[in-house]
């Protein structure tokens, strides 16, 4: 393994990409220690301890603790993700944007420009909402409330969010892996040492009674099993057999071989979970300003984290975005046309429209399986952390669930690192990044990380 890691630094181009990525991630972490002016940090820590499991606690997860410390990167990458979601959904219903997506590099640049502008607008709106919330909290979070604090907060947080967007784009273009995903990955992984210390502290103080030590062992075993399950499903694919007919090109006989069309069970990766989570965080973030209103307040309370309606909306959002993402990255009509162009066909299926319909049916089925997998991985650990508050159901329905034990309704209150969403993102991003590094190694005739990826052999000279 050490030899394979050393191979990364033997290739000049790959070495530059890896070091460039690490340098920008270090810049991102450096911004986590530059505070926003005008904030009482001690009072803010107490405020976030009280807000654990709410919209602010969720946003703090993706910002790597920057929101808790209210640094210049407090908003994290969420405005950019939300802007990307909005534009992708608009491309489905708005024809001019759909045409831009089909114009190749020029259209991609225009959509990227629109995403940047929308990111700035959303970051300004979100920072203004957070500033208003901190001012009206009445907990002494702001040293000098007023228009100057609002203007300074909006300017600082918006600039920090735009700078993070630029960091992610630079990593994607000149580094290794997807820049935005790596920034989220870095923000979550930094909490690992604190999570380990938190578990040791729970065992030492017997926070859950005499059952604390066995519970921690069971929890770690469950986490390892979840990681293994994630790796297994992420590697799984549905292989459609494809046969290429023989044809004569000049004096040579071409084709005639059998191959397969690989369709991943989870084509969207972690993106449906991130999209669904970010969309749900928007009403919760801005709804905190209106939680005292007679109509909106109860609605916000029912879709808060840990509530049954939140789990339902989260599951529906994952299924919806799984299909939306697959429709963007995979076009059955294009696959069928390319297959017919090169003389390929699926045995028993006619080329053309029938092939496109068959591929679409297979995608529909495996995408539903992938969506359920994302729901299970995301919700079961979240249920262990926060529980499901069935006793909070409205219209008197909660009275039927008062007999449930506390660990069902309130969870085990484990550190956020063991949440399903964060675990899925960490494993998924790590696998994608390793795959990209491995492909670079194999392309340059070096051994990859996995046993199946050997050195590419050249022709033998006798």
């Amino acid at each position: 393994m050490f030899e394979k890691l050393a191979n990364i630094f033997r290739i000049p181009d790959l070495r530059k990409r890896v070091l460039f990525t690490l340098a920008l991630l270090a810049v991102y972490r450096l911004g986590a220690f530059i505070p926003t002016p005008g904030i009482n940090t001690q009072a803010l820590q107490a405020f976030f301890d009280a807000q654990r499991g709410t919209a602010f606690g969720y946003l703090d997860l993706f910002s790597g603790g920057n929101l808790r410390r209210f640094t210049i990167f407090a908003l994290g990458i969420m405005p950019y993700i939300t802007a990307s979601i909005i534009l992708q959904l608009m491309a489905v219903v708005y024809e001019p944007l759909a045409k831009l997506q089909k114009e190749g590099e020029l259209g991609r640049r225009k959509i990227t420009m629109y995403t940047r502008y929308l990111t700035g607008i959303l970051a300004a709106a979100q920072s203004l909402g957070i500033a208003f919330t901190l001012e009206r909290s009445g907990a002494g979070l702001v040293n000098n409330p007023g228009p100057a604090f609002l203007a300074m907060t909006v300017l600082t947080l918006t600039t920090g969010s735009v700078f993070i967007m630029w960091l992610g784009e630079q990593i994607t273009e000149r580094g290794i892996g997807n820049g935005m995903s790596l920034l989220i990955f870095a923000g979550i992984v930094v909490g690992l040492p604190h999570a380990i210390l938190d578990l040791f502290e729970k065992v030492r103080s017997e926070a859950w009674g005499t059952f604390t030590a066995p519970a921690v062992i069971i929890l770690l075993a469950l986490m390892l099993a979840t990681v293994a399950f994630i790796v297994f499903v992420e590697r799984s694919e549905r292989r459609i057999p494809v046969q290429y007919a023989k044809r004569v090109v000049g004096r040579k006989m071409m084709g005639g071989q059998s191959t397969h069309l690989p369709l991943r069970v989870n084509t969207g990766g972690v993106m449906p979970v991130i999209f669904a989570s970010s969309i749900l965080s928007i009403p919760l973030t801005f709804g905190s300003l209106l939680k005292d209103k007679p109509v909106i307040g109860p609605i916000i309370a029912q879709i808060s984290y840990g509530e049954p309606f939140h789990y339902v909306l989260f599951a529906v959002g994952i299924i919806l975005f799984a299909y939306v993402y697959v429709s963007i990255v995979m076009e059955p009509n294009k696959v069928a046309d390319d297959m017919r162009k090169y003389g390929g066909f699926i045995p028993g299926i006619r080329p053309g429209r029938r092939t496109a319909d068959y591929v679409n049916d297979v995608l529909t089925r495996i995408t539903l399986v992938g969506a359920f997998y994302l729901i299970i991985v995301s919700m079961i650990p979240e249920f262990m952390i926060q529980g499901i508050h069935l006793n909070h159901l409205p219209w008197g329905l909660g009275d039927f669930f008062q007999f449930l034990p506390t660990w069902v309704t309130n969870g085990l209150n484990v550190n956020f690192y063991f949440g399903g969403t964060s675990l899925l993102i960490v494993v998924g991003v790590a696998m994608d990044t390793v795959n990209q590094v491995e492909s670079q190694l194999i392309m340059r005739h070096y051994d990859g990380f996995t046993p199946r990826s050997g050195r590419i052999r050249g022709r033998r000279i006798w």
Side-chain angles (χ1 to χ4, degrees):
M1 177 58 68
F2 291 105
E3 179 68 20
K4 295 176 181 180
L5 291 175
N7 288 338
I8 297 176
F9 296 93
R10 291 194 179 106
I11 305 172
D13 179 59
L14 186 57
R15 180 175 64 246
K16 290 179 181 178
R17 287 179 172 272
V18 172
L19 293 179
F20 181 80
T21 301
L22 294 177
L24 291 195
L25 291 178
V27 172
Y28 173 67
R29 290 305 305 156
L30 180 63
F33 299 95
I34 304 177
T36 301
I39 294 294
N40 185 342
T41 55
Q42 294 181 351
L44 188 66
Q45 289 285 342
F47 173 77
F48 270 96
D49 289 339
Q51 295 292 322
R52 181 176 299 176
T54 65
F56 284 103
Y58 178 79
L59 292 175
D60 185 57
L61 163 66
F62 280 91
S63 66
N66 291 327
L67 187 59
R68 173 183 293 270
R69 296 185 294 271
F70 212 69
T71 66
I72 59 175
F73 291 163
L75 292 183
I77 203 67
M78 295 303 290
Y80 179 84
I81 294 175
T82 307
S84 300
I85 296 170
I86 293 174
L87 286 177
Q88 288 182 4
L89 293 179
M90 287 182 62
V92 178
V93 298
Y94 188 54
E95 188 62 25
L97 275 179
K99 291 181 179 179
L100 278 179
Q101 285 186 337
K102 301 177 182 179
E103 289 183 2
E105 182 65 21
L106 181 61
R108 188 187 66 83
R109 289 182 180 179
K110 288 185 178 180
I111 292 179
T112 301
M113 180 183 65
Y114 296 153
T115 305
R116 292 169 180 169
Y117 290 150
L118 187 57
T119 299
I121 295 173
L122 292 177
Q126 195 170 351
S127 58
L128 183 62
I130 293 175
F132 270 121
T133 302
L134 295 178
E135 270 197 343
R136 299 181 181 181
S137 63
L141 303 179
V142 181
N143 294 329
N144 297 302
F149 168 76
L150 295 177
M152 177 62 70
T153 302
V154 171
L155 178 62
T156 303
L157 297 186
T158 303
T159 304
S161 183
V162 172
F163 183 71
I164 290 177
M165 176 184 66
W166 179 82
L167 287 178
E169 291 179 351
Q170 293 300 310
I171 293 175
T172 303
E173 182 179 353
R174 301 169 58 186
I176 286 290
N178 184 287
M180 305 304 171
S181 299
L182 282 175
L183 291 178
I184 299 175
F185 173 86
I188 297 175
V189 167
V190 294
L192 177 59
H194 178 72
I196 296 175
L197 292 176
D198 181 69
L199 285 180
F200 276 115
E201 181 62 26
K202 279 183 168 56
V203 173
R204 189 185 63 81
S205 61
E206 295 187 349
W208 302 327
T210 56
F211 189 65
T212 302
V216 170
I217 295 175
I218 294 174
L219 182 65
L220 293 176
L222 181 61
M223 188 190 71
L224 292 176
T226 304
V227 171
F229 179 63
I230 292 173
V231 174
F232 173 76
V233 178
E234 292 294 332
R235 296 285 187 181
S236 302
E237 58 186 23
R238 169 74 157 86
R239 296 183 176 182
I240 299 178
V242 178
Q243 181 73 35
Y244 284 91
K246 293 182 179 180
R247 54 186 178 143
V248 178
V249 179
R251 294 185 178 181
K252 294 182 179 181
M253 182 71 71
M254 307 292 293
Q257 74 271 19
S258 298
T259 182
H260 63 270
L261 176 66
L263 300 177
R264 290 180 58 189
V265 173
N266 183 30
T267 306
V270 300
M271 299 311 294
V273 177
I274 297 176
F275 286 175
S277 302
S278 59
I279 287 295
L280 272 178
S281 67
I282 293 176
L284 293 177
T285 302
F286 292 101
S288 60
L289 300 174
L290 306 172
K291 61 182 179 180
D292 297 329
K293 301 297 180 180
V295 177
I296 300 179
I299 296 177
I300 297 299
Q302 289 299 322
I303 64 173
S304 299
Y305 295 96
E307 301 296 332
F309 288 111
H310 174 81
Y311 286 105
V312 173
L313 293 176
F314 190 37
V316 172
I318 289 177
I319 296 174
L320 173 64
F321 284 113
Y323 279 104
V324 169
Y325 196 84
V326 168
S327 66
I328 293 173
V329 301
M330 194 76 175
E331 299 181 10
N333 291 328
K334 186 176 183 302
V335 172
D337 291 341
D338 292 342
M339 197 181 299
R340 182 172 56 180
K341 185 186 302 182
Y342 294 102
F345 63 93
I346 300 174
I349 306 295
R350 288 186 178 183
R353 183 66 182 175
R354 293 289 299 275
T355 298
D357 291 341
Y358 178 77
V359 173
N360 183 66
D361 291 341
V362 174
L363 274 176
T364 301
R365 292 194 296 269
I366 66 174
T367 301
L368 184 61
V369 174
F372 280 124
Y373 144 74
L374 292 176
I375 291 172
I376 292 173
V377 172
S378 300
M379 287 191 175
I380 288 184
E382 295 296 335
F383 168 75
M384 295 182 62
I385 296 172
Q386 301 179 7
I388 178 169
H389 305 158
L390 293 172
N391 53 336
H392 293 174
L393 285 172
W395 309 304
L397 297 177
D399 297 336
F400 295 99
F401 300 97
Q402 296 293 338
F403 64 92
L404 293 176
T406 307
W407 65 270
V408 174
T409 56
N410 296 328
L412 297 176
N413 194 25
V414 192
N415 194 281
F416 72 87
Y417 181 79
F418 300 100
T421 304
S422 57
L423 197 60
L424 182 64
I425 292 173
V426 168
V427 176
V429 173
M431 289 178 59
D432 290 340
T433 305
V434 168
N435 287 337
Q436 290 196 27
V437 174
E438 185 174 31
S439 64
Q440 294 282 339
L441 290 172
I442 297 175
M443 185 173 62
R444 291 167 173 82
H445 298 190
Y446 282 87
D447 290 336
F449 292 106
T450 58
R452 291 180 296 178
S453 62
R455 183 187 299 272
I456 298 177
R457 296 181 179 179
R459 291 186 177 180
R460 293 178 181 266
I461 300 177
W462 299 93

